[in-house]
Amino acid sequence: MDAAEALTLLMSPEGRVDPYPTYERLRAYGPVVQAGPVFYVVTGHAEADAILRDPGFGVLDDALRDQFLPGWRESPAVASISRSMLRTNPPDHSRMRRLASGAFTPRRIGAMRDVVEAQAGDLVDAMVARAAAGEPVDFMSEFAYPLPVGVICALLGVPAEDRPLFRRWAGDLTGVLEPEITAEELAVADRGATELRDYFGELIAARRRAPADDLTTALVQVHDTDGDRLSGDELLANLVVLLVAGFETTTNLLGNGLVVLLDHPREAATLRDRPDLAPAYVDELLRFDSPVQLTTRVSGVATRYGDVDVPAGSWALLLLGAANRDARRYPEPERFDPWRPQVHPLSFGAGPHYCLGAGLARLEAQVAFPLLLRRLPGLALAGTPRHRTRLTLRGYDTLPVTIDAEAAAPHRGTPAGAARHTP
């Protein structure tokens, strides 16, 4: 199997469900391999990290979109993503990121801990109640989705009663982030983008009438004070992306991470007794099974990586999940080892496009995993989890679990009411 054939396998439904064997097939050709005339696949950690930080590489711009995706402006999904900080280059990217970064400072994220603990405790209570009533419990629906969506919606000022709407909308829209998408999948993504944009259009109008202490109000005021700083399209696009990116990656981190911990009971028991180890555990979970598996970059200048010449105008497919398992960087990379030193996963990227909400995602996981292990000593998988057939955003559709309701520890955290207040 040559590199092009391995890449075809990776994009297939089977390859997406478990990409790691295919990563190793690609890695056999070197950390950077040419898979087409101007197309390169990167599996090496050092090479992927360097390209993400290299100012000579950027994301797809409008000119290239016009060339490779004719008609993209008529797609609400592609247009929404393209006008956000996720898919723009400096100086537009730097300007938009600076305007949104105030919501994600270390101090503000630290202030969210009580809110995260309270919401997580309430969700565990609800899971225990379902189990006690003899009802099935799906970890994704009952915990992994509602925790991060509740937190990001609190930041954006989305009313609690509207939060259930976002799972389908975001799930539809994120199809456009996949490296390949069918016309049918694009139509689904467009529907999700349209509904999200309509919702945020109404929220923006509401915040103009009655400002609040939330990120939506702050961005609206930036736009209204000086339209050159944040255009109307950018305002809508970034609200959509902040919401979607704010919980999709964390949802996958929680689901992927729980499966790994339940597969490693000795390490899980240590984390249950030593919650102070949560930061190291979360970084290793991010490395071991990344919620974000890939990203792309375009070279603006001719360069050389991994003993391979990369001409200007080339596409680089950065397989972050493969880079996180590069044996040159992490010995025995297929082994989950929370004691592993110097873990710096590329799951949230690197360089100027490093995920703005990475600190918040880490906080939620650092709170959630010790809490789940402490309060639910009988937590176990109930059957086989079902993976999503996505590659870019890797996670589970369903994750059924069993809970021993009688053995569940009581909730001793922040009172439930605290979960409904933003810091």
Side-chain angles (χ1 to χ4, degrees):
M1 180 178 292
D2 63 21
E5 291 171 331
L7 193 60
T8 299
L9 174 61
L10 183 65
M11 300 303 165
S12 70
E14 299 80 9
R16 294 180 186 201
V17 168
D18 184 8
Y20 294 106
T22 310
Y23 290 159
E24 296 312 309
R25 290 179 174 180
L26 287 165
R27 197 190 311 279
Y29 294 95
V32 179
V33 58
Q34 186 171 4
V38 289
F39 187 66
Y40 297 79
V41 179
V42 181
T43 59
H45 186 282
E47 292 77 12
D49 184 60
I51 289 173
L52 288 168
R53 300 174 189 275
D54 189 339
F57 283 82
V59 297
L60 194 67
D61 60 18
D62 284 359
L64 286 174
R65 269 188 286 270
D66 289 335
Q67 180 180 349
F68 292 102
L69 299 170
W72 66 270
R73 289 177 173 83
E74 282 69 54
S75 165
V78 178
S80 290
I81 297 295
S82 301
R83 288 288 169 256
S84 74
M85 68 184 88
L86 184 67
R87 292 287 175 88
T88 50
N89 293 305
D92 288 338
H93 170 265
S94 308
R95 169 177 53 82
M96 286 187 276
R97 186 181 177 95
R98 184 171 61 252
L99 295 173
S101 62
F104 297 95
T105 62
R107 181 176 181 180
R108 186 174 180 87
I109 290 171
M112 292 291 292
R113 178 174 286 273
D114 287 347
V115 176
V116 174
E117 289 176 346
Q119 290 195 13
D122 290 346
L123 292 170
V124 172
D125 287 342
M127 292 170 64
V128 172
R130 288 183 68 93
E135 299 176 12
V137 178
D138 174 28
F139 179 76
M140 302 307 294
S141 295
E142 304 300 325
F143 191 96
Y145 164 73
L147 177 63
V149 80
V151 172
I152 195 64
C153 283
L155 277 174
L156 291 172
V158 171
E161 60 269 21
D162 291 345
R163 294 171 190 172
L165 300 169
F166 292 111
R167 186 176 191 183
R168 180 179 66 80
W169 292 347
D172 290 348
L173 173 60
T174 52
V176 81
L177 299 176
E178 291 299 308
E180 294 182 350
I181 186 170
T182 66
E184 293 77 12
E185 291 168 335
L186 180 58
V188 170
D190 284 340
R191 181 188 66 191
T194 299
E195 292 174 336
L196 274 167
R197 287 172 67 90
D198 288 347
Y199 180 89
F200 277 114
E202 294 178 4
L203 184 62
I204 287 168
R207 289 298 180 266
R208 285 195 172 111
R209 292 191 300 268
D213 182 18
D214 57 42
L215 181 55
T216 300
T217 297
L219 292 177
V220 167
Q221 290 174 344
V222 165
H223 170 267
D224 292 352
T225 301
D226 183 355
D228 290 337
R229 296 182 65 198
L230 193 66
S231 72
D233 284 346
E234 290 171 347
L235 172 60
L236 267 174
N238 281 296
L239 285 172
V240 168
V241 165
L242 284 169
L243 173 81
V244 172
F247 77 83
E248 271 280 340
T249 52
T250 310
T251 291
N252 292 340
L253 168 58
L254 293 173
N256 297 352
L258 181 67
V259 171
V260 175
L261 290 172
L262 294 180
D263 283 344
H264 295 80
R266 185 176 63 179
E267 289 80 2
T270 300
L271 179 59
R272 180 195 62 215
D273 298 334
R274 291 281 309 278
D276 59 298
L277 298 176
Y281 268 71
V282 169
D283 277 352
E284 174 66 355
L285 289 168
L286 284 165
R287 183 203 69 81
F288 186 78
D289 196 7
S290 176
V292 181
Q293 289 284 311
L294 63 85
T295 189
T296 58
R297 292 292 186 269
V298 180
S299 60
V301 296
T303 186
R304 185 175 179 84
Y305 275 100
D307 296 326
V308 175
D309 290 321
V310 180
S314 297
W315 293 62
L317 178 66
L318 309 179
L319 296 176
L320 305 179
N324 285 340
R325 292 196 180 192
D326 185 349
R328 299 176 306 161
R329 177 64 178 78
Y330 300 111
E332 298 182 79
E334 73 289 345
R335 181 169 60 89
F336 173 67
D337 179 10
W339 304 100
R340 190 185 298 274
Q342 298 297 314
V343 176
H344 299 291
L346 296 177
S347 307
F348 293 119
H353 278 85
Y354 182 75
C355 177
L356 194 60
L360 184 58
R362 281 189 165 94
L363 171 65
E364 292 176 57
Q366 290 166 12
V367 168
F369 289 130
L371 174 70
L372 289 161
L373 296 171
R374 176 178 62 81
R375 291 201 56 204
L376 304 175
L379 184 64
L381 296 179
T384 303
R386 187 174 75 236
H387 264 109
R388 304 167 72 183
T389 54
R390 297 276 180 89
L391 181 58
T392 302
L393 296 177
R394 174 172 166 79
Y396 292 95
D397 268 329
T398 60
L399 182 50
V401 294
T402 57
I403 293 173
D404 185 346
E406 294 184 358
H411 183 13
R412 297 192 297 269
T414 306
R420 291 184 285 274
H421 297 282
T422 55

